[in-house]
Amino acid sequence: MSFDARTLYELLPAVHRLRDARLAEMEGLERGPLEELVAVLAEQIGVVEENLEQLYDDLFIETCAPWVIPYIGDLISYESLHGSVPAVASPRAEVAHTIALRRRKGTALVLEQLARDVTGWHARVVEFFERLAATQYMNHPRPHCLGMANLRDVTALERMGTAFEPVSRTVDVRRIESGRGRHNIPNVGLFLWRIDAYARSRTPAVRVAERRYRVSPLGHDLPLYHRPVAEDEITHLAEPVNVPEPLSRRGTARHLARYYGDRPGAGMAVDNPNPSLMLWVDDAPVERDAIAICNLSDDGPDWAHVPPPAGVYAVDPVLGRVALPAQAPDPAQVLVTWHEGFSAAIGGGEYERGDSDADIRVPGDQPTIAQALAALGGSGVIVISDSGRYEENLDIAVAAGGEMTLRADNGCRPVLVLSAPLTVSGGAGSGVTLDGLVVTGDQVRVPDSGGNALTRLSLRDCTLVPGLGLNADGSPRDGSVASLVQELADTEVRVERSIIGAVRCHERAQFFATGSVIDATGPAQVAYAAPDDASAGGAFSAVSSTVIGKVNAQQFDLISNAILLAELAPADSWTVPVRCERKQVGCVRFSFVPWKAITPARYRCQPDSDAAAFRIAPHFTSLRYGTPAYCQLTSRTPAAICRGADNESEMGVFHHLEAPQRETNLRIRLREYLRVGLQAGIFFES
């Protein structure tokens, strides 16, 4: 406000103020009637002033109220997008960018910015006429456009077939809209990255042998990804450093300062505050000039190029391996900051978890989880505030009516390495929540013994590693063993945004999965059944989830926007891969379920006939947990599955990403911003 009640009151003549003060004194009031009236007037003037300020702010897209955005967009003929993709782009940002983008309409810079704004994925635009091998006009030479590839440039050859390919090609006459043709004069390619890089901060590497470590806390080989650097200006086309790609050996070695560490040497200024890769040995950071990027592949029983030269730490980003020099102490605590490629924020990860209040913190208040459970006394919240490996045997016991929560802190991804089942028990009305944890080594078990009366078990943003663990090559350690065993009747199990292995559930219990993966490590394995591995488990629900393996339940309460990938093995004892005992209750809708499955009435499910069963099936890039494209549908998957959910998104665990809507919205924008005569094609790099 420009002036308050006191300012207004002091503008009145003194005689009126004195008389008002006398009246207040006579009545025993704090303020007189005139001052009270002025206060009301000042309050209303403040409301008017605030409204006037907001009206001025509403003239600008940056400061206007949300309800004004569509009106400003209508003034500049902004076309709103179809579908609901709230997490991708802000309408305010799109309207704000519209005028700037139209001034550069049809240029590669605009198309790239457009692709990022509309889809939320990292993007790179390529004008394919720049990569045509053609006779050059001498008044406009293009030295970069050579007719032959330079076989000595290994870094360039690594980029063959990618968005950053530097090699020229002959003309391709196929249409680029089909995704087949590329190199032609009118063609523009939009390359998109669906896999993003997720941070893993200061995680302990697993010792394999003397001075040999694997970066993955699960002890398997995996590619390390680059954390993309944001582009500051629209006038900049994306480069490899701006997209989430797996690190290559030659590229990382050639541009080590771009990817590793935060300083060029001891005592010098920070030059890379958010590195893609960083190494600590016994809490001492390994400087950049002590790192050698090399090939540490298997060489018989040993690794190649081991041991590295004195004082040099060898890192293989392709396999995720680290080798210490002969002079380094061993065993040592090797901590690594790295990035893992994946399609979405599900399973254990360094995500925002809201309120971080805790009764006990590990390792701050107690060094181990077992000691924290003992100190808590049957009810409370334990928060793990680092990304360490906890090799413990745990028994969670909750008091009657109590609630026990064991969760990771914001920005942390702890790994529980079990050598015996993690048992969960409690009194009547009790509940247990596991949040943000990665559990490997053994199963989570709710036993029917010792008077156990647990009511609820919740898993949120957790990973119960399918197969209980991973071998060095990433294959499941034991695909026939369930990750979650619930032997107790009348217990409710809820799984949200998690990746878990096979489930065994009591026939009188209830199981709900939302936005999750239930992976029995193969379509012919048993994903869901009773604890005896064969008879029907409790009531089963799967919403926006992917189930890999056979399912046998008492009833299907709700199967929606899900994929149940199951098949019978040769000489299988099961008659159908998916079945429920009670077909009169429940619902199966907008899901992929084997045609011969025994289910309640289906509604718009696939396949919907004998003929469709031979041609409609999901195709996955990978069904092996631990790979970047795990459970991601390929472009060969029929549209009946890719766009078969109730909102025309894809079925399965990545339903919430709304990938088809993102692609459709991009094509809508391309019609508006693509120059006449140009043709555009969309290509997924990951």
Side-chain angles (χ1 to χ4, degrees):
M1 262 191 323
S2 302
F3 41 82
D4 54 14
R6 172 54 58 183
T7 303
L8 277 177
Y9 188 68
E10 290 178 352
L11 292 176
L12 296 175
V15 61
H16 297 305
R17 286 186 279 123
L18 290 172
R19 187 176 300 171
D20 188 56
R22 192 177 300 114
L23 287 174
E25 184 178 356
M26 291 172 58
E27 297 291 338
L29 301 175
E30 184 179 350
R31 295 188 297 183
L34 183 60
E35 188 174 358
E36 290 283 358
L37 176 62
V38 171
V40 173
L41 292 175
E43 182 181 354
Q44 297 306 311
I45 291 173
V47 172
V48 173
E49 277 193 331
E50 183 179 356
N51 184 260
L52 289 174
E53 292 174 357
Q54 183 60 51
L55 288 175
Y56 179 78
D57 291 340
D58 287 345
L59 297 176
F60 307 97
I61 187 63
E62 294 85 356
T63 57
C64 69
W67 67 269
V68 183
I69 294 174
Y71 293 95
I72 296 179
D74 190 56
L75 290 175
I76 58 175
S77 300
Y78 166 79
E79 181 183 0
S80 59
L81 296 175
H82 300 287
S84 170
V85 195
V88 173
S90 162
R92 185 189 301 273
E94 276 208 284
V95 174
H97 288 163
T98 298
I99 295 178
L101 295 179
R102 285 178 180 171
R103 289 173 179 169
R104 301 180 176 91
K105 185 174 181 178
T107 64
L109 297 170
V110 164
L111 297 178
E112 186 173 288
Q113 180 68 37
L114 204 66
R116 284 196 297 267
D117 288 347
V118 172
T119 66
W121 291 320
H122 296 275
R124 158 79 173 186
V125 168
V126 176
E127 297 171 302
F128 282 111
F129 75 86
E130 290 282 357
R131 296 185 178 178
L132 282 177
T135 303
Q136 299 199 31
Y137 181 45
M138 297 310 297
N139 286 342
H140 187 150
R142 294 182 294 162
H144 65 279
C145 189
L146 304 177
M148 297 292 290
N150 183 1
L151 300 182
R152 292 185 176 87
D153 190 351
V154 180
T155 304
L157 295 178
E158 284 184 344
R159 295 288 179 184
M160 292 284 289
T162 71
F164 303 101
E165 179 183 73
V167 179
S168 301
R169 304 277 187 141
T170 55
V171 172
D172 189 342
V173 298
R174 294 174 295 182
R175 295 182 63 83
I176 194 171
E177 290 95 337
S178 66
R180 301 175 65 194
R182 294 192 182 188
H183 295 80
N184 207 336
I185 293 175
N187 290 354
V188 177
L190 284 81
F191 293 84
L192 304 173
W193 279 260
R194 293 186 293 175
I195 292 177
D196 207 348
Y198 291 89
R200 305 288 182 249
S201 303
R202 292 179 64 90
T203 63
V206 177
R207 186 174 185 268
V208 179
E210 185 179 2
R211 295 184 173 80
R212 289 184 284 170
Y213 294 79
R214 284 192 172 92
V215 170
S216 168
L218 301 179
H220 71 295
D221 294 332
L222 83 170
L224 308 185
Y225 269 66
H226 163 59
R227 183 193 64 82
V229 178
E231 299 177 69
D232 297 328
E233 299 178 355
I234 192 176
T235 56
H236 179 269
L237 275 176
E239 300 175 2
V241 72
N242 303 120
V243 297
E245 287 191 322
L247 296 172
S248 66
R249 297 185 181 104
R250 293 182 183 274
T252 307
R254 186 173 183 177
H255 303 285
L256 189 60
R258 177 186 297 175
Y259 301 114
Y260 182 87
D262 57 3
R263 61 186 64 83
M268 301 183 70
V270 171
D271 65 342
N272 189 9
N274 296 302
S276 300
L277 184 62
M278 188 68 189
L279 185 67
W280 291 264
V281 176
D282 292 333
D283 284 334
V286 179
E287 301 297 341
R288 188 178 297 157
D289 49 12
I291 292 292
I293 305 297
C294 64
N295 186 345
L296 298 178
S297 300
D298 292 332
D299 185 12
D302 299 322
W303 291 355
H305 308 112
V306 173
V312 174
Y313 294 80
V315 178
D316 187 341
V318 175
L319 297 176
R321 297 181 175 184
V322 177
L324 309 186
Q327 297 79 11
D330 187 71
Q333 183 190 42
V334 179
L335 301 178
V336 188
T337 290
W338 53 288
H339 290 74
E340 183 174 6
F342 198 55
S343 303
I346 64 171
E350 300 180 5
Y351 317 134
E352 176 63 38
R353 307 186 195 285
D355 186 14
S356 60
D357 290 342
D359 297 304
I360 296 179
R361 289 186 174 271
V362 177
D365 300 327
Q366 295 289 341
T368 67
I369 301 173
Q371 289 174 306
L373 289 170
L376 201 56
S379 183
V381 179
I382 298 174
V383 173
I384 304 174
S385 53
D386 66 2
S387 296
R389 275 172 55 94
Y390 290 86
E391 301 183 13
E392 302 186 40
N393 294 329
L394 302 178
D395 295 312
I396 300 177
V398 192
E403 186 73 30
M404 179 77 75
T405 299
L406 178 60
R407 70 178 184 85
D409 203 354
N410 295 329
C412 297
R413 184 179 181 256
V415 178
L416 275 59
V417 184
L418 307 175
S419 56
L422 188 161
T423 60
V424 181
S425 60
S430 61
V432 172
T433 299
L434 304 180
D435 188 354
L437 309 178
V438 178
V439 181
T440 184
D442 216 314
Q443 58 191 198
V444 175
R445 185 167 171 259
V446 182
D448 184 13
S449 62
N452 191 1
L454 186 75
T455 303
R456 300 174 305 278
L457 173 62
S458 298
L459 276 69
R460 294 198 298 258
D461 297 313
C462 284
T463 299
L464 308 185
V465 178
L468 301 187
L470 299 179
N471 297 318
D473 61 355
S475 60
R477 196 184 70 194
D478 192 344
S480 62
V481 179
S483 294
L484 176 60
V485 179
Q486 204 288 97
E487 302 174 346
L488 198 61
D490 303 321
T491 299
E492 179 183 280
V493 179
R494 288 191 174 272
V495 179
E496 302 174 20
R497 303 179 304 277
S498 297
I499 299 173
I500 66 175
V503 178
R504 302 293 180 264
C505 189
H506 191 279
E507 62 180 6
R508 295 204 310 272
Q510 292 181 315
F511 180 88
F512 303 87
T514 303
S516 300
V517 177
I518 302 172
D519 183 5
T521 71
Q525 299 285 354
V526 180
Y528 185 85
D532 63 3
D533 292 351
S535 58
F540 179 76
S541 296
V543 178
S544 302
S545 298
T546 298
V547 181
I548 304 169
K550 299 181 293 186
V551 176
N552 189 6
Q554 288 291 330
Q555 65 188 53
F556 291 159
D557 286 339
L558 178 61
I559 306 295
S560 177
N561 299 328
I563 294 177
L564 273 61
L565 184 68
E567 63 185 30
L568 296 177
D572 203 319
S573 60
W574 290 42
T575 56
V576 291
V578 174
R579 66 168 295 159
C580 67
E581 296 293 331
R582 302 178 60 193
K583 299 192 296 179
Q584 299 84 1
V585 295
C587 176
V588 180
R589 60 190 294 274
F590 296 98
S591 298
F592 174 84
V593 183
W595 174 242
K596 294 184 178 181
I598 300 175
T599 67
R602 305 186 187 199
Y603 179 72
R604 303 190 68 173
C605 292
Q606 298 296 334
D608 55 5
S609 65
D610 282 324
F614 289 98
R615 57 184 176 82
I616 296 181
H619 298 278
F620 293 94
T621 305
S622 171
L623 287 177
R624 176 179 287 186
Y625 170 74
T627 55
Y630 176 61
C631 284
Q632 187 182 82
L633 294 175
T634 69
S635 58
R636 296 189 300 111
T637 301
I641 295 175
C642 285
R643 299 176 182 271
D646 55 6
N647 63 346
E648 298 185 359
S649 183
E650 68 180 69
M651 301 173 180
V653 65
F654 298 129
H655 165 263
H656 69 284
L657 297 180
E658 299 185 346
Q661 286 91 328
R662 301 191 194 197
E663 184 177 348
T664 299
N665 289 339
L666 179 55
R667 295 188 187 278
I668 291 173
R669 283 288 179 259
L670 286 177
R671 289 198 297 267
E672 180 181 353
Y673 285 92
L674 200 63
R675 286 182 181 177
V676 176
L678 295 183
Q679 300 175 8
I682 297 176
F683 305 95
F684 291 103
E685 281 286 271
S686 63

